[in-house]
Amino acid sequence: MLKNKNGVKNKQIFICLFFLLFSNLHIFADEQNSSDYDLFFNNYLFLPDLSFHNSEVSEENVNFLLEKIENLKLYNHNYWHILLHYKKKGNGYKSIFHGDDFFLAEDGATNPKAELEADLKDFLKGKNIDKFPARYKWLKSQLETENEKYFDFRNEIYSDTFRPEEAYLLFPAGYLRNPASIYGHTLILFSKKNNSAADNKVFAFIAEDTKDSNIKKVFKGLFGAYDGLFKFSTYASQIGKYNEKESRDIWEYKLKLTPEQLDFLYSHAIELTNAHIKYLYTNQNCTAELMEALRAAYPEENFLGMMGGICEPVEAVKLLYKKGFTEEPDYRPSIASRLDYEESFLTNKQKKAAADYNFGRISLEEFDQYFSNDFEKLVGYNLAVNAMKIRVYNQDLEREKYVQRAMPIAIASESLNADFKDDIVNKDFPHLGHDLCRLTVSAGYDNGDLFTQYYFRLASQNFMDIDKGMLKNTQLSFFSGSCSYYPLLNNFQLDTLDIVSIKSISPTNRYFLGNAFEVIVGLERNLTETGDDLAFRTTNNVGLSYMLGKYNQFYSLVGYDIFINFDYRYWIDFLPGISVGFVTSAGPWKQHILAEYKLGLISGVHSRINLSLEESIGLFRNFYISAGTYFTRDYKRNILKGTIGFNFSF
């Protein structure tokens, strides 16, 4: 944001700040690639164990405490199982984590008693207190009384001197450019009230760093092909990644915690940086592991049990808010949201001038001619700089050219007698969105034959769902399917059974290109010369999208469908093609018009045309009515369907 203060001194300060901010554009790196600050944080803030070694602990005291543990059966205590993440398995227990770093006993992953005894012996010697501070504090609270002190206070010398005063559940909204990030992310922010973002810490569970494509990440993540890790980073680096580079809004939900709860939560987060576990996209992901970590603060709650089989970030947000564990969120707008806000103050000619300056088509002097006062000029300056930043993040603009165009604006803004802040109000809170499982009951006609259809989605969102609190015009559904019954023909059939279905239309505007894509994997009925057969389907389409006004969005995709069925001539029906869509959204009403042309090339040459018109209107948060008309022509046959459906989310 550009500030406007007259005077040479303030001008010098501003220019210095500009260079300082530009020099730190590198913090907008991928989450899995640590910034220079994060390297400093990990290497120097978390120092090696500095605990005082108490060699005076007698064997008699050790044996006494071991006997006390046995009498109290502390190894069976629920909180001990929470800290070690033990789960019941057969007649015993097993931690969800593996590896030697998280356990001090050789069989600690499956033996709660052996692990507790090993931890006790190390803590009495002043060892591993920094590594496992929550275990140490809890064990001390269970064994010591006011008159019985067994742990030397000199042992409590922690190398990590950060003491958070607050904690927040962070929800960065979904990232439309990456199918692995469409349904958002969750992190925990530990902060001190007077700290800057660079001094506050964010704790997260992420998949290992890979060079795989975005599509490949989705499918490998679905089947647990990645190792997961817990890590701390600075909030500044996460703002850079989500708010700036990926243009994702961040919602900050303050957790309601007592000082003791906060202390145990932060201490347990430190412990988890030693844990190892596979990353699963649906139920062992960023949200699932953080919800388990939160039990260090809320031991009586079984958050995962409340969420069901698939752990989606927005569902965690809703659950914690509904249960009263979080306050109403603060909103941190993305650079794209700030761009839209700035455009709202300007005319079309002024916005076009900002784009022209962004692409180097006009000079600053020519740019200035479009504004009648200092306020308009300042907003235009902000708009041009933010648009250029996005192009830098998208690798569409070189840094050198960014400096050449942004520096004159930084200097010119100092002479303006105006001030502008991106005070954006957004009450479209994520916790107000619809629930993610869905059941649809429809009735309709198929070339004159009446039928009923039943659709079920295990998780996430469909293209025609209510947008409030969710990503607009996106589809991310897991394990969904539909079946139909034709009463006059007494025929019941499976229509679709998708593992995953993703559709995202990130809009292009006058400043930069967006990207649209569609991915489907599952079973679906495919039209043939003699009827329709159930076949394995995979779809991969890419393209572009444009906003046409505030409510209308156009998109076009090119790609292919592949249907595999061993009854086909060559087992494969390969259909490359193009699709064009138009979406209109206004409040609770949505309309989607789609036209597709496909050309079958392998199991017989044939042309397929699909036309559809869909409408939906939301009546309540978890209920909307939909209607659709669908036309298909292939193999010289015309098929016309119409449906009306009642959609329930739960």
Side-chain angles (χ1 to χ4, degrees):
M1 178 166 47
L2 301 176
K3 292 287 186 179
N4 301 278
K5 305 289 183 182
N6 293 317
V8 175
K9 183 176 181 180
N10 286 329
K11 180 176 179 180
Q12 293 172 341
I13 293 174
F14 181 87
I15 293 174
C16 290
L17 287 173
F18 173 85
F19 277 114
L20 180 62
L21 289 171
F22 174 74
S23 66
N24 281 282
L25 278 174
H26 66 274
I27 69 172
F28 309 136
D30 201 341
E31 176 182 310
Q32 296 151 335
N33 298 323
S34 295
S35 66
D36 291 343
Y37 190 97
D38 291 338
L39 290 174
F40 171 83
F41 179 87
N42 290 327
N43 292 336
Y44 297 98
L45 188 54
F46 283 96
L47 297 174
D49 192 350
L50 300 179
S51 303
F52 181 87
H53 183 91
N54 184 359
S55 58
E56 300 176 359
V57 179
S58 68
E59 184 176 346
E60 182 180 355
N61 278 345
V62 173
N63 291 334
F64 173 77
L65 291 175
L66 290 175
E67 183 178 346
K68 189 172 184 178
I69 286 173
E70 180 62 38
N71 292 335
L72 295 173
K73 297 292 189 290
L74 290 183
Y75 46 82
N76 288 332
H77 198 288
N78 180 55
Y79 200 74
W80 179 248
H81 289 191
I82 287 173
L83 293 180
L84 276 296
H85 294 253
Y86 288 123
K87 304 297 179 184
K88 189 73 175 174
K89 186 173 183 180
N91 295 325
Y93 295 92
K94 185 176 181 180
S95 175
I96 64 173
F97 299 130
H98 58 83
D100 297 334
D101 293 340
F102 195 66
F103 305 99
L104 298 181
E106 186 174 346
D107 58 346
T110 57
N111 191 334
K113 180 179 179 181
E115 181 61 30
L116 191 148
E117 291 175 350
D119 285 31
L120 172 68
K121 292 175 182 178
D122 267 20
F123 294 158
L124 288 171
K125 297 176 182 178
K127 294 181 179 179
N128 290 309
I129 294 175
D130 269 8
K131 192 174 182 180
F132 302 116
R135 299 184 203 178
Y136 170 75
K137 293 172 184 177
W138 176 78
L139 194 54
K140 181 179 176 182
S141 71
Q142 297 299 306
L143 294 176
E144 288 192 341
T145 65
E146 185 176 348
N147 299 319
E148 297 177 327
K149 304 294 183 183
Y150 305 106
F151 297 90
D152 195 322
F153 282 103
R154 291 175 295 172
N155 293 335
E156 299 177 15
I157 304 173
Y158 299 110
S159 57
D160 177 17
T161 58
F162 182 78
R163 294 293 178 267
E165 298 171 353
E166 300 173 324
Y168 293 79
L169 180 73
L170 302 181
F171 176 68
Y175 181 36
L176 292 176
R177 291 172 173 266
N178 183 355
S181 300
I182 282 183
Y183 70 177
H185 190 33
T186 45
L187 314 94
I188 296 176
L189 167 65
F190 293 103
S191 69
K192 300 187 74 168
K193 294 178 182 178
N194 296 323
N195 271 10
S196 68
D199 295 323
N200 287 327
K201 300 181 185 180
V202 169
F203 178 70
F205 177 71
I206 61 173
E208 63 178 329
D209 184 16
T210 71
K211 303 301 181 183
D212 292 335
S213 67
N214 290 333
I215 299 297
K216 194 173 183 180
K217 286 178 181 178
V218 171
F219 292 104
K220 291 181 73 172
L222 279 172
F223 297 102
Y226 293 125
D227 288 326
L229 63 147
F230 296 90
K231 63 172 288 187
F232 279 100
S233 58
T234 66
Y235 194 24
S237 69
Q238 299 307 298
I239 291 171
K241 172 183 168 55
Y242 295 114
N243 257 173
E244 303 296 318
K245 182 182 178 183
E246 296 184 357
S247 295
R248 296 162 71 172
D249 295 331
I250 297 177
W251 300 88
E252 303 170 344
Y253 286 81
K254 185 177 180 181
L255 289 163
K256 298 177 182 178
L257 298 166
T258 65
E260 182 182 25
Q261 286 175 310
L262 177 60
D263 182 42
F264 269 98
L265 178 59
Y266 179 64
S267 297
H268 187 49
I270 293 173
E271 296 178 343
L272 288 175
T273 59
N274 303 290
H276 302 279
I277 189 174
K278 287 292 183 180
Y279 185 96
L280 284 167
Y281 191 55
T282 54
N283 61 358
Q284 207 163 275
N285 55 16
C286 63
T287 299
E289 299 313 314
L290 290 193
M291 294 296 272
E292 280 287 87
L294 281 173
R295 295 191 68 201
Y298 307 108
E300 302 304 319
E301 304 297 331
N302 181 12
F303 295 121
L304 285 187
M306 300 177 195
M307 293 185 67
I310 293 183
C311 301
E312 296 202 46
V314 71
E315 284 299 278
V317 170
K318 294 176 192 173
L319 174 63
L320 292 175
Y321 185 83
K322 181 180 179 181
K323 294 290 184 180
F325 293 117
T326 61
E327 299 178 0
E328 194 164 283
D330 294 325
Y331 173 63
R332 186 181 288 272
S334 68
I335 191 170
S337 296
R338 301 198 302 270
L339 205 76
D340 292 340
Y341 180 71
E342 290 153 3
E343 280 196 328
S344 68
F345 292 91
L346 303 176
T347 66
N348 285 330
K349 287 185 177 180
Q350 291 169 335
K351 289 183 279 191
K352 185 180 182 303
D356 288 339
Y357 185 80
N358 178 359
F359 286 94
R361 293 191 284 260
I362 61 174
S363 66
L364 183 61
E365 290 73 21
E366 293 171 309
F367 187 27
D368 287 344
Q369 301 306 311
Y370 288 87
F371 306 106
S372 59
N373 57 62
D374 282 1
F375 177 78
E376 288 183 352
K377 190 178 292 185
L378 180 60
V379 175
Y381 284 176
N382 274 271
L383 178 62
V385 169
N386 281 333
M388 286 189 288
K389 283 182 181 179
I390 292 178
R391 292 184 61 208
V392 171
Y393 304 141
N394 293 338
Q395 299 182 339
D396 186 44
L397 179 66
E398 297 175 357
R399 288 189 181 188
E400 292 75 12
K401 291 183 178 179
Y402 168 80
V403 173
Q404 291 172 7
R405 296 172 195 167
M407 179 54 73
I409 285 181
I411 295 173
S413 67
E414 288 301 297
S415 62
L416 300 179
N417 186 24
D419 193 13
F420 174 75
K421 294 182 179 180
D422 293 316
D423 294 327
I424 305 174
V425 177
N426 187 347
K427 296 294 184 181
D428 198 13
F429 301 135
H431 64 263
L432 298 179
H434 62 77
D435 293 335
L436 301 183
C437 292
R438 196 184 97 189
L439 176 66
T440 299
V441 179
S442 304
Y445 61 88
D446 179 354
N447 274 7
D449 292 324
L450 298 178
F451 72 96
T452 56
Q453 188 175 61
Y454 309 91
Y455 170 87
F456 177 77
R457 181 189 67 214
L458 186 59
S460 214
Q461 180 180 6
N462 283 61
F463 204 71
M464 296 299 292
D465 283 357
I466 301 169
D467 286 329
K468 185 174 181 60
M470 310 294 287
L471 272 180
K472 187 176 181 180
N473 297 339
T474 61
Q475 176 163 305
L476 178 65
S477 64
F478 293 107
F479 309 111
S480 61
S482 63
C483 56
S484 300
Y485 177 64
Y486 293 77
L488 298 179
L489 303 175
N490 194 25
N491 179 43
F492 180 86
Q493 67 180 34
L494 177 65
D495 298 322
T496 63
L497 185 61
D498 291 334
I499 299 172
V500 61
S501 177
I502 304 172
K503 189 171 187 176
S504 171
I505 51 174
S506 174
T508 294
N509 58 29
R510 56 169 54 92
Y511 311 108
F512 52 86
L513 288 174
N515 68 327
F517 59 86
E518 182 178 29
V519 176
I520 301 173
V521 177
L523 298 177
E524 184 171 324
R525 290 201 167 271
N526 180 41
L527 196 63
T528 65
E529 291 184 79
T530 58
D532 55 3
D533 298 325
L534 199 61
F536 176 79
R537 176 190 182 181
T538 177
T539 295
N540 193 356
N541 294 319
V542 296
L544 294 173
S545 174
Y546 294 86
M547 292 298 300
L548 303 176
K550 184 177 181 181
Y551 303 107
N552 304 307
Q553 189 169 357
F554 166 86
Y555 69 93
S556 180
L557 301 170
V558 295
Y560 60 83
D561 290 335
I562 295 177
F563 294 92
I564 301 174
N565 185 310
F566 293 142
D567 291 333
Y568 295 163
R569 186 180 306 169
Y570 299 108
W571 298 0
I572 294 176
D573 192 9
F574 176 62
L575 295 101
I578 183 171
S579 60
V580 176
F582 192 84
V583 185
T584 301
S585 300
W589 174 73
K590 181 182 284 191
Q591 181 186 76
H592 180 212
I593 302 171
L594 178 64
E596 296 180 312
Y597 176 78
K598 308 283 185 179
L599 181 63
L601 295 178
I602 296 181
S603 292
V605 177
H606 59 102
S607 298
R608 180 173 299 174
I609 297 173
N610 294 317
L611 303 174
S612 65
L613 169 63
E614 296 178 299
E615 310 239 3
S616 67
I617 183 164
L619 301 181
F620 306 102
R621 183 176 77 92
N622 282 324
F623 175 73
Y624 70 92
I625 298 174
S626 60
T629 301
Y630 310 89
F631 172 80
T632 298
R633 177 173 175 79
D634 201 351
Y635 297 107
K636 299 181 181 180
R637 294 159 54 200
N638 296 330
I639 299 175
L640 181 64
K641 288 186 177 182
T643 63
I644 182 168
F646 302 91
N647 305 267
F648 306 87
S649 297
F650 56 94

